[in-house]
Amino acid sequence: MTDDRLIIAGREFKSRLWVGTGKYKDFAETKKAIEASGADVVTVAVRRVNITDHSKENLLDYLDPKKYIILPNTAGCYNVEDAVRYARLARAAGVSDLIKLEVLGDERTLFPDTAGLIEAAKILIKEGFIVLPYTNDDPIVAQKLVDIGCPVVMPLAAPIGSGLGIRNPYNLKIIMEMIKVPIIVDAGVGTASDAAFAMELGADAVLMNTAIAGAQDPIAMAEAMKYAVYAGRLAYKAGRIPRKLYATASSPIEGML
Amino acid sequence: MAEAIQIQVNGEQRGCRADATVGDLLRELAIKIERVAVELNLEILDRKDFDHRSLKQGDRVEILSFIGGGV
């Protein structure tokens, strides 16, 4: 699969596993897990600098922005105004126009407010951002996001951090068939088989954080996810056999006594 | 010696020299300017303007950076 490249908005991505950097024990563990995952895209959040404790290390001291594509998010934003403000701050702090846009609708589920998402995406695209929208598994919303200029759509598999896996494979499949830009399944993965399943459905990539960072051994789980995404992609490209209710013998009848 | 003014930095009150710039404030706080974003009274500043924007009494400064975060 050497020429099986993921291209979004003219940028080439080596890995189809993208990872978050939250919830790790420390930066050393973050770095090791990300190395084990083989991911070349890492998401980060934008927050106030601690101005009283100068000893605090910076995440980017551990993640070389020359080696990784740093993808800032607007996590924690519950309205269009905040999401746009954080996106602009992320661009001012960083080096690129990439933004993982989240406009959340509810604290308990962290489900996206898709109306707010579309509105915020329109504003940011007009300002030259490359908007990667975190959205629900709704094919109509996905199409609207593409229509306004999002180069990728990132539907959830299940609520953020829930580990419930692929809750609605049929909607995701419809999105993958209908939408002509890359689809990245974002959030909800619990273990390696979930990631493989997402890729087998035809996802172009999977983005996760808690499934790795919250595992008992995050570094081992990061490696498991790397292989799961790779295996799932290979299986998708290989083309699975159709499901049948009854058996089909693998050994020939001919030549039997 | 210029007299002191009160400003708010990341939600906390602090004193600062009346002729100080945003760049001076960042140096005083030992914050590396690479990869921080600075908002002065809700206006996001260009990094190259840090040394040209002076602070006034009551200014609200927000200094933000990237931290671990995910999905």
Side-chain angles (χ1 to χ4, degrees):
Chain A
M1 289 206 306
T2 47
D3 59 347
D4 184 32
R5 307 258 164 85
L6 173 59
I7 294 169
I8 297 167
R11 283 159 202 250
E12 191 181 305
F13 298 88
K14 285 198 273 306
S15 168
R16 290 178 182 273
L17 171 59
W18 294 11
V19 294
T21 55
K23 298 186 181 172
Y24 285 98
K25 189 177 71 193
D26 52 34
F27 288 146
E29 187 185 69
T30 313
K31 183 178 198 273
K32 278 190 201 156
I34 289 168
E35 280 170 359
S37 77
D40 63 343
V41 180
V42 295
T43 64
V44 297
V46 180
R47 293 292 181 267
R48 277 175 167 167
V49 168
N50 187 334
I51 56 167
T52 46
D53 183 3
H54 303 310
S55 66
K56 280 228 166 169
E57 292 176 296
N58 189 295
L59 173 67
L60 294 190
D61 295 336
Y62 284 80
L63 297 173
D64 184 356
K66 289 188 199 79
K67 197 168 151 198
Y68 296 101
I69 296 163
I70 307 294
L71 176 58
N73 66 28
T74 61
C77 294
Y78 284 87
N79 59 59
V80 173
E81 195 185 9
D82 284 350
V84 168
R85 183 183 184 192
Y86 273 82
R88 289 170 179 157
L89 285 163
R91 178 155 74 176
V95 286
S96 85
D97 298 322
L98 292 171
I99 189 77
K100 177 181 185 294
L101 183 60
E102 300 182 23
V103 182
L104 302 174
D106 168 57
E107 283 185 29
R108 194 165 173 211
T109 59
L110 298 177
F111 280 145
D113 167 359
T114 51
L117 178 70
I118 291 169
E119 197 182 329
K122 274 185 191 165
I123 295 168
L124 293 170
I125 288 165
K126 206 175 280 177
E127 294 180 15
F129 281 89
I130 298 164
V131 174
L132 290 74
Y134 160 70
T135 185
N136 220 321
D137 56 6
D138 180 334
I140 306 304
V141 171
Q143 186 59 56
K144 285 186 179 176
L145 289 163
V146 175
D147 291 344
I148 62 168
C150 293
V152 61
V153 176
M154 306 209 292
L156 54 80
I160 292 172
S162 70
L164 287 173
I166 315 295
R167 301 318 304 148
N168 196 342
Y170 303 105
N171 266 36
L172 289 177
K173 188 74 192 167
I174 290 170
I175 291 175
M176 288 160 197
E177 290 199 0
M178 268 178 57
I179 304 298
K180 302 299 171 209
V181 300
I183 303 299
I184 299 178
V185 170
D186 177 7
V189 163
T191 187
S193 52
D194 298 334
F197 184 27
M199 295 305 291
E200 286 168 0
L201 281 171
D204 292 280
V206 179
L207 172 48
M208 66 180 78
N209 188 348
T210 309
I212 296 174
Q216 292 199 18
D217 183 342
I219 294 147
M221 187 58 89
E223 194 177 6
M225 291 300 184
K226 174 171 83 176
Y227 292 125
V229 167
Y230 189 68
R233 179 66 181 172
L234 273 178
Y236 171 73
K237 299 276 279 187
R240 58 153 300 145
I241 60 162
R243 287 181 175 85
K244 286 182 291 190
L245 194 55
Y246 295 100
T248 312
S250 304
S251 308
I253 303 293
E254 206 183 298
M256 283 191 78
L257 296 173
Chain B
M1 185 74 184
E3 46 183 297
I5 53 168
Q6 283 292 313
I7 58 169
Q8 205 182 86
V9 182
N10 285 6
E12 286 173 31
Q13 289 290 331
R14 73 183 276 129
C16 116
R17 262 185 13 246
D19 60 350
T21 63
V22 170
D24 293 333
L25 174 68
L26 292 171
R27 279 184 287 276
E28 192 187 312
L29 293 169
I31 292 169
K32 286 184 236 161
I33 68 159
E34 302 87 26
R35 298 180 209 119
V36 295
V38 178
E39 223 183 46
L40 175 58
N41 302 323
L42 299 179
E43 178 199 350
I44 298 171
L45 302 183
D46 213 312
R47 202 167 284 148
K48 64 180 183 339
D49 294 333
F50 288 173
D51 283 328
H52 308 297
R53 294 296 293 264
S54 45
L55 295 163
K56 308 184 305 294
Q57 173 68 30
D59 273 351
R60 296 164 69 101
V61 183
E62 294 288 351
I63 307 165
L64 297 98
S65 186
F66 296 132
I67 63 147
V71 173

